[in-house]
Amino acid sequence: MIGYLSQRLALAFLVCLTVSLITFFLLTSSGDVVSAIAGEEATPEQIAALRRELGLDAHWTVRYLEWLGNALRGDFGNSLFFRETVADLIMHRLPNTLQLAGMSLAVMLSLSLPLGMLAAFRPNTWVDRLALSIAVMGQAMPNFWFGLILMVVFALNLGWLPPSGSGTNWHFILPAIALGYYATPPVMRLTRAGMIEVLGTDYIRTARAKGLSTTRVLFKHALRNAIIPVVALTAVQFGNMLGGSVVIETVFGIQGVGYLAWESITRLDVPVVQAIMILVAIAYITLVLVSDVLNAWLDPKIRK
Amino acid sequence: MSKILEVENLRVDIPVGKQTLHAVRGISFSLSKGETLCVVGESGCGKSLTSLAIMGLLPSAAKRTADKLHFDGVDLLSASNRKMQKIRGNRLSMIFQEPMTSLNPAYTIGDQLMEVMLWHQNVTKAKAHERAVYLLEKVGITGAAKRMKQYPHQLSGGLRQRVMIAMSLMCGPTVIMADEPTTALDVTIQAQILLLLSELQREFEMGLVLITHDLGVVARIADRVMVMYAGEVVEQGTAKAVFEAPLHPYTRGLLECMPIPGKTKPGHHLGSIPGIVPSLIGEIAGCAFRDRCRHAREGCESFDRLRHDGKNHYWRCIMDEQETRGHLAKFTAGTEAAT
């Protein structure tokens, strides 16, 4: 298990390195930051001076190595717009994104697992069709639109929850429902499919032949085997929630990392974008690692 | 001897589109305490469904009906789900055909063995563990304590089937049903496993319903034999009677297919039964075997009752005892039919 883990960690580090290199290269070649900052009326001398001041006159490979050296020590440089370090900027926004993603994950799991299991337990009945309709609806609705509907109904008309902002926990409920519901369908379908497959296996027949109750057969013998592919998908969906909540954060005015990423891209705030990319990459890699470890725990065949 | 299991006119019907497949067509038998009943017949004759029907484990589409289905004083036809759960795995346990896939891959052998006992009986974990190890040794697994911590994928098919047998014994059942427990195994260990089952059956004085193709083993361990064909019982009697004087042409056909050392001469052909099993969709009138029977005659298409020789030997054939015994003179198991 330890050998397995260290091997996976080394791999994760290499992936992070590759991602940082690629994003650095893409960002450098995507536009000239200096002329964007200096404005249209700046003379070539002024631009050259600013370029030196920002340390952008060296070749991009040299700058990458410099950036990498600093990044490894936790220094991601300064934002080009806010006079604040990138690390501080992100650290202020991160808790909001984490809370939103965490609550969305809870919404997603509490919808997809019971619905998927119910549908699998009573396939081709009204329960199954109801679960399927709920899933299809979630897949068909754009999440910003569903977010707006939620806002209109629960915040404006009923006045139960605040419409936007990130001041209290209550502020996160509507966006978490919008984001979580959007991520539900694939997980529900995979739970259903996995459950149906497992319920038809010989070892489930054995479990029933042992005289176990239906609940025990379902939860002890079936769920653990059916859930293995679901874990990996959940990890990916959670990654999407962390890195791809830009739209929902914008709709609900949540000052999170996704919103910051979008702002920084429009302002060509390269250091911030670069840091967020790495952060998202690390988040994905960590999640995949966690799901692999979870699967190894669930499935003894992976362990060895 | 008291009857522990009584089955009367058991039928299993499976809807196929708009039609119905009559997989088990009214079979009756009984099992006494500590008796071994072997059920033989070719694939698709309803042997497995019979056992699943008794266990109450039929697929949900299949419909079970019977005039009587009693196990150890309990009417299984009217038993509630909860009542069935109390019986299954406890007093009535089952061993399946597929050892490779019958154990849950996610749990250790020990966990799965102990589970059934902890579920049914009020015992401590230590006690269940002790019994599991004892039974693993009993079914011939060495290093049982170490095996308890292993997962199914670390065991061979033969070992897994031994584990399944141990699991079926955990609660000390009164009857075990074994549905072709050796079909998926290596030929070299098939007989071993069946003989082991038979030994355990005698040692623990259980009733055993063994569904099998292996006539050689049947001859060695069965008290009584039941021959099934196309969802019906065609012959039933003590092992001695059925093997020495098989009264149904199908039973004789089966015995001719089986090589016997000393009787089957090298270079000679073994017997075979021409034709195929009739479709079980829709009703079958008369004898289901008549299309493949060399003695078929007018009347077979409407003959449908069990004959009886007065000594618990039953067979379903138009030929009376006298004519049948005449054919027996020319019959030798393990060789091609003389006529």
Side-chain angles (χ1 to χ4, degrees):
Chain A
M1 196 70 191
I2 291 171
Y4 171 78
L5 259 180
S6 48
Q7 189 190 339
R8 295 304 313 249
L9 281 172
L11 200 64
F13 181 73
L14 285 179
V15 173
C16 279
L17 212 61
T18 315
V19 169
S20 72
L21 184 63
I22 292 171
T23 44
F24 199 92
F25 174 73
L26 286 176
L27 283 171
T28 332
S29 35
S30 67
D32 187 10
V33 192
V34 180
S35 40
I37 299 174
E40 281 175 23
E41 278 113 62
T43 62
E45 289 76 31
Q46 283 173 314
I47 291 179
L50 187 61
R51 195 182 297 278
R52 252 192 315 281
E53 189 195 323
L54 290 171
L56 293 176
D57 49 348
H59 188 255
W60 73 272
T61 45
V62 178
R63 282 188 283 125
Y64 171 70
L65 287 175
E66 201 180 325
W67 176 87
L68 187 65
N70 291 333
L72 286 175
R73 275 180 271 119
D75 175 11
F76 289 90
N78 293 316
S79 161
L80 296 180
F81 280 82
F82 305 95
R83 289 293 159 190
E84 217 181 332
T85 66
V86 173
D88 283 345
L89 201 57
I90 291 177
M91 277 307 152
H92 285 146
R93 309 285 189 108
L94 195 58
N96 284 338
T97 298
L98 284 179
Q99 184 171 5
L100 176 62
M103 286 173 68
S104 307
L105 181 72
V107 169
M108 182 196 82
L109 290 180
S110 53
L111 272 176
S112 53
L113 293 186
L115 279 178
M117 285 180 70
L118 270 176
F121 197 50
R122 295 262 176 275
N124 303 319
T125 60
W126 66 269
V127 186
D128 189 13
R129 275 186 278 276
L130 180 71
L132 201 69
S133 324
I134 294 175
V136 168
M137 244 163 55
Q139 221 154 22
M141 279 193 296
N143 63 0
F144 69 88
W145 184 78
F146 183 55
L148 288 172
I149 297 285
L150 286 175
M151 206 189 279
V152 168
V153 175
F154 293 98
L156 300 183
N157 293 350
L158 295 169
W160 291 353
L161 292 161
S164 75
S166 44
T168 66
N169 287 336
W170 299 105
H171 285 90
F172 288 92
I173 293 181
L174 290 181
I177 291 173
L179 199 55
Y181 182 37
Y182 188 67
T184 296
V187 179
M188 194 217 87
R189 281 162 186 275
L190 200 62
T191 308
R192 177 184 180 273
M195 249 344 219
I196 286 182
E197 192 192 318
V198 167
L199 286 176
T201 58
D202 292 333
Y203 58 83
I204 291 301
R205 190 181 57 187
T206 305
R208 291 175 62 214
K210 281 160 107 177
L212 307 178
S213 68
T214 312
T215 347
R216 192 174 170 92
V217 171
L218 272 183
F219 286 92
K220 182 175 175 188
H221 288 273
L223 188 59
R224 179 153 175 179
N225 288 291
I227 212 80
I228 292 171
V230 178
V231 171
L233 181 63
T234 304
V236 173
Q237 295 287 68
F238 190 52
N240 288 345
M241 288 171 186
L242 278 172
S245 56
V246 184
V247 178
I248 286 293
E249 286 186 2
T250 314
V251 169
F252 285 92
I254 292 174
Q255 294 291 319
V257 176
Y259 194 39
L260 178 67
W262 182 73
E263 285 176 315
S264 304
I265 290 167
T266 56
R267 291 193 292 241
L268 263 177
D269 196 344
V270 177
V272 178
V273 178
Q274 173 79 20
I276 290 176
M277 295 291 277
I278 297 298
L279 189 71
V280 171
I282 291 176
Y284 265 106
I285 290 163
T286 313
L287 286 170
V288 169
L289 194 65
V290 167
S291 88
D292 282 353
V293 170
L294 259 178
N295 272 346
W297 173 70
L298 285 169
D299 184 356
K301 267 184 261 181
I302 302 177
R303 253 178 268 161
K304 288 281 171 233
Chain B
M1 275 198 286
S2 61
K3 302 284 183 218
I4 195 91
L5 182 65
E6 286 175 278
V7 179
E8 260 173 43
N9 198 22
L10 174 72
R11 306 181 66 89
V12 176
D13 297 324
I14 302 166
V16 181
K18 278 180 187 155
Q19 291 170 303
T20 307
L21 189 143
H22 303 282
V24 177
R25 303 185 300 129
I27 72 165
S28 304
F29 68 93
S30 64
L31 186 75
S32 304
K33 264 204 169 101
E35 187 183 34
T36 298
L37 171 70
C38 285
V39 183
V40 296
E42 59 200 279
S43 306
C45 72
K47 309 183 301 266
S48 297
L49 283 172
T50 301
S51 61
L52 290 175
I54 294 167
M55 291 290 289
L57 290 176
L58 285 173
S60 52
K63 206 169 119 274
R64 173 185 81 178
T65 51
D67 292 344
K68 188 175 181 184
L69 195 54
H70 276 195
F71 167 73
D72 206 3
V74 182
D75 178 13
L76 300 184
L77 287 172
S78 64
S80 66
N81 222 343
R82 187 171 291 262
K83 205 165 190 179
M84 282 309 295
Q85 282 167 4
K86 279 208 174 120
I87 294 173
R88 277 202 290 264
N90 191 12
R91 287 151 66 197
L92 175 64
S93 57
M94 181 147 182
I95 302 164
F96 295 101
Q97 219 175 99
E98 305 86 1
M100 298 308 285
T101 49
S102 288
L103 287 162
N104 193 327
Y107 296 98
T108 58
I109 302 305
D111 186 305
Q112 297 184 60
L113 279 167
M114 284 156 66
E115 182 185 27
V116 64
M117 193 178 189
L118 292 169
W119 179 259
H120 287 292
Q121 297 176 5
N122 191 16
V123 292
T124 60
K125 271 198 159 175
K127 188 99 185 140
H129 189 273
E130 191 188 315
R131 175 147 177 97
V133 171
Y134 164 75
L135 284 174
L136 283 182
E137 278 164 2
K138 204 85 211 155
V139 298
I141 293 182
T142 49
K146 208 183 92 221
R147 294 283 185 200
M148 292 282 284
K149 295 192 203 87
Q150 289 190 320
Y151 288 91
H153 72 272
Q154 295 166 305
L155 271 57
S156 68
L159 279 182
R160 286 188 218 184
Q161 195 61 298
R162 285 171 198 265
V163 170
M164 288 300 291
I165 292 173
M167 196 189 290
S168 71
L169 295 170
M170 278 299 282
C171 293
T174 19
V175 170
I176 290 194
M177 301 228 259
D179 179 11
E180 300 190 33
T182 56
T183 308
L185 299 179
D186 227 295
V187 187
T188 49
I189 46 176
Q190 285 185 356
Q192 250 180 50
I193 294 266
L194 290 174
L195 293 175
L196 168 73
L197 253 180
S198 172
E199 267 166 43
L200 293 166
Q201 176 266 329
R202 249 174 290 141
E203 183 172 341
F204 295 115
E205 294 176 337
M206 301 173 299
L208 175 65
V209 178
L210 177 67
I211 297 170
T212 181
H213 289 301
D214 195 335
L215 290 170
V217 168
V218 173
R220 283 167 76 177
I221 71 173
D223 294 316
R224 279 192 308 125
V225 179
M226 180 164 107
V227 183
M228 284 183 71
Y229 183 78
E232 275 182 325
V233 177
V234 292
E235 182 161 0
Q236 194 180 155
T238 62
K240 193 169 155 36
V242 171
F243 276 93
E244 281 177 5
L247 297 179
H248 196 279
Y250 177 63
T251 314
R252 288 202 292 281
L254 280 183
L255 290 170
E256 281 162 5
C257 300
M258 177 182 72
I260 294 175
K263 283 192 185 165
T264 312
K265 292 184 187 73
H268 282 240
H269 287 287
L270 278 176
S272 63
I273 306 175
I276 53 160
V277 187
S279 161
L280 295 177
I281 294 178
E283 295 294 339
I284 298 175
C287 175
F289 187 62
R290 65 177 185 272
D291 293 338
R292 304 172 73 181
C293 181
R294 63 177 90 97
H295 306 291
R297 63 196 64 175
E298 216 169 303
C300 282
E301 68 283 347
S302 61
F303 185 87
D304 190 17
R305 65 188 169 85
L306 272 180
R307 288 182 187 276
H308 180 212
D309 74 344
K311 284 178 289 188
N312 290 326
H313 194 163
Y314 297 85
W315 72 105
R316 190 184 294 274
C317 185
I318 194 164
M319 294 188 287
D320 61 17
E321 194 174 346
Q322 202 182 355
E323 183 184 356
T324 297
R325 297 226 183 254
H327 291 298
L328 270 179
K330 286 176 279 177
F331 163 78
T332 332
T335 53
E336 198 176 14
T339 49

